[in-house]
Amino acid sequence: MTRESLLTDQKLAISVNGYSHLSSTQILAVCLLAEIDKGKASMWYPYLVQLPRSYNILASFTWFETQALQVEDAVWAAEKARSKAELDWKESVPVMKELELRPQLLTFKSWLWASATISSRTLHIPWDDAGCLCPVGDFFNYAAPEEAMPCSEDLRLTDGGYEEDISAYCFYARKSYKIGEQVEPPTKCLKLVQPYLCQLEENEGENSVEVHKSSCLLVGLGEKRAFQTRREVLLSYGTYTNLELLEHYGFILDMNPNDKAFIELDAEICSSSSWSKDTLYIQQDGKPSFTLLSALRLWATPPNQRKSVAHYAYSGSQLSAENEMSAMRWMAKNCQILLNKFPTKVEDDDLLLHIIDKMQNFPLPKEVEYEQMMLAFGGEVGAFFEANGLQKGGSGGDITFSRKMIRSIERWKLVVQWRLRYKKILVDCISYCTEVVDFLSSENLLPNRSNNT
């Protein structure tokens, strides 16, 4: 489903063409809502009814959920996403009114659904920035690239792409799906030829794979890999941090090798090297990135000596034990300062996640449980219930959870999970830096002890 295919509807095309200021993504959102308006008359109806009814991307976050992110950069990203969605909607309302869409499809809520569908489910195509919606193809869940892969004709940064030579959207699996020994089948290509139908090209002989709906659209890259029936096939959409996954797709990963944490850096640190600021971050494992460590080493060097040692810093070499300890102490100190600014600690967020799990598993807590939650997390829990219009009713003091509140609990849980992982990166960074300082300190003491003896 693309703009091009949907704009074969003459009425839709005539209306949309009168609003040239709309972006390709706005036009696809309008077309998607127009297709929803057709109901069963739409040729895409069987696909449309399978789409989720709600999404958890940043643009859908309420004020409470946005503030609960706690990290300034994340709060700003959520506010920016929400503002952009509102602006896109306001610009698109006139054309939707001209198309005489049903009133409920003109609301910001419906626009959020359409734009979230496009953000989280479209696949890249080279001729349209809005991408395309691909039945079956958008069912695959995400697997983060485990390590940076070099760009070449044989290796891909993503596991899907439109192949012009065969006029089909192809998918490529990097992970090994195996039962027992791995096999080495020839490279094979599966392509979507009709909605919900797939075709296996080339005859693989005894290494062939039987194609089913649940495990189709898989392409090998000529490496040793095998196929396990009824095991989920995961594809990589590209390299994303957890915040980016939350912004565009509405989920995060427990272990994301591409996650990172940015901390506020002194202007002198940024200006002491030529590295771009967006490369100065803490990695998912708590270690400073190569460029951040390089910049800190230069910053910890007296200004009149930086030029003479810059080539060592840029190559990743330690400049001296004292220099390294200065850089590590600065990192540990500033990570701790940032952690102290947050209204909740790592232990608080861990406990709060248990509370949220309990709310999800038992959606009607008794009033006594509600009071216990308020005592443990009065500010945040109270703000959550207030933001969602808490109702106490019925016998026994039960709390009624509306569907809106249940969806908000899901987003709240994602928020707490995200900020907890962010804080754990900072905690791990403090531990790493402290270990480096302790090691270098002990190494420096050894020569002194030898001299004393």
Side-chain angles (χ1 to χ4, degrees), residues 105-139:
L105 296 177
L106 300 177
T107 63
F108 180 57
K109 179 180 178 181
S110 293
W111 181 262
L112 269 182
W113 174 85
S115 58
T117 298
I118 294 169
S119 173
S120 64
R121 307 187 74 86
T122 51
L123 308 174
H124 172 73
I125 48 178
W127 66 87
D128 192 337
D129 292 338
C132 68
L133 288 166
C134 181
V136 177
D138 61 2
F139 288 172

Side-chain angles (χ1 to χ4, degrees), residues 112-174:
L112 269 182
W113 174 85
S115 58
T117 298
I118 294 169
S119 173
S120 64
R121 307 187 74 86
T122 51
L123 308 174
H124 172 73
I125 48 178
W127 66 87
D128 192 337
D129 292 338
C132 68
L133 288 166
C134 181
V136 177
D138 61 2
F139 288 172
F140 292 113
N141 283 327
Y142 176 76
E146 294 182 0
E147 58 185 30
M149 299 184 67
C151 295
S152 72
E153 293 182 358
D154 299 321
L155 295 175
R156 299 167 182 270
L157 294 177
T158 59
D159 290 342
Y162 185 82
E163 303 292 345
E164 295 185 2
D165 55 337
I166 59 174
S167 300
Y169 208 100
C170 297
F171 296 84
Y172 306 85
R174 246 184 233 120

Side-chain angles (χ1 to χ4, degrees), residues 1-10 12-14 16-17 23-25 27-32 35 38 43-44 125-133 162:
M1 181 191 295
T2 64
R3 279 194 311 154
E4 184 180 10
S5 65
L6 295 177
L7 289 176
T8 54
D9 181 323
Q10 290 298 314
L12 181 59
I14 291 172
V16 167
N17 288 339
S23 68
S24 57
T25 303
I27 293 174
L28 182 57
V30 170
C31 292
L32 178 59
E35 209 65 28
K38 294 178 182 178
M43 66 169 288
W44 295 100
I125 48 178
W127 66 87
D128 192 337
D129 292 338
C132 68
L133 288 166
Y162 185 82

Side-chain angles (χ1 to χ4, degrees), residues 90 301 428 439:
K90 291 175 181 178
T301 302
D428 289 343
F439 173 77

Side-chain angles (χ1 to χ4, degrees), residues 299-350:
W299 165 79
T301 302
N304 61 345
Q305 298 177 20
R306 288 174 185 169
K307 188 175 181 180
S308 62
V309 299
H311 61 290
Y312 293 113
Y314 286 128
S315 66
S317 300
Q318 286 188 18
L319 303 184
S320 71
E322 191 60 39
N323 176 278
E324 195 75 3
M325 288 191 288
S326 295
M328 292 298 165
R329 288 184 181 121
W330 186 94
M331 280 294 303
K333 175 185 175 183
N334 283 272
C335 285
Q336 189 61 59
I337 289 173
L338 183 55
L339 283 170
N340 292 341
K341 288 181 178 179
F342 295 130
T344 58
K345 300 178 181 178
V346 168
E347 299 79 13
D348 298 329
D349 290 344
D350 267 325

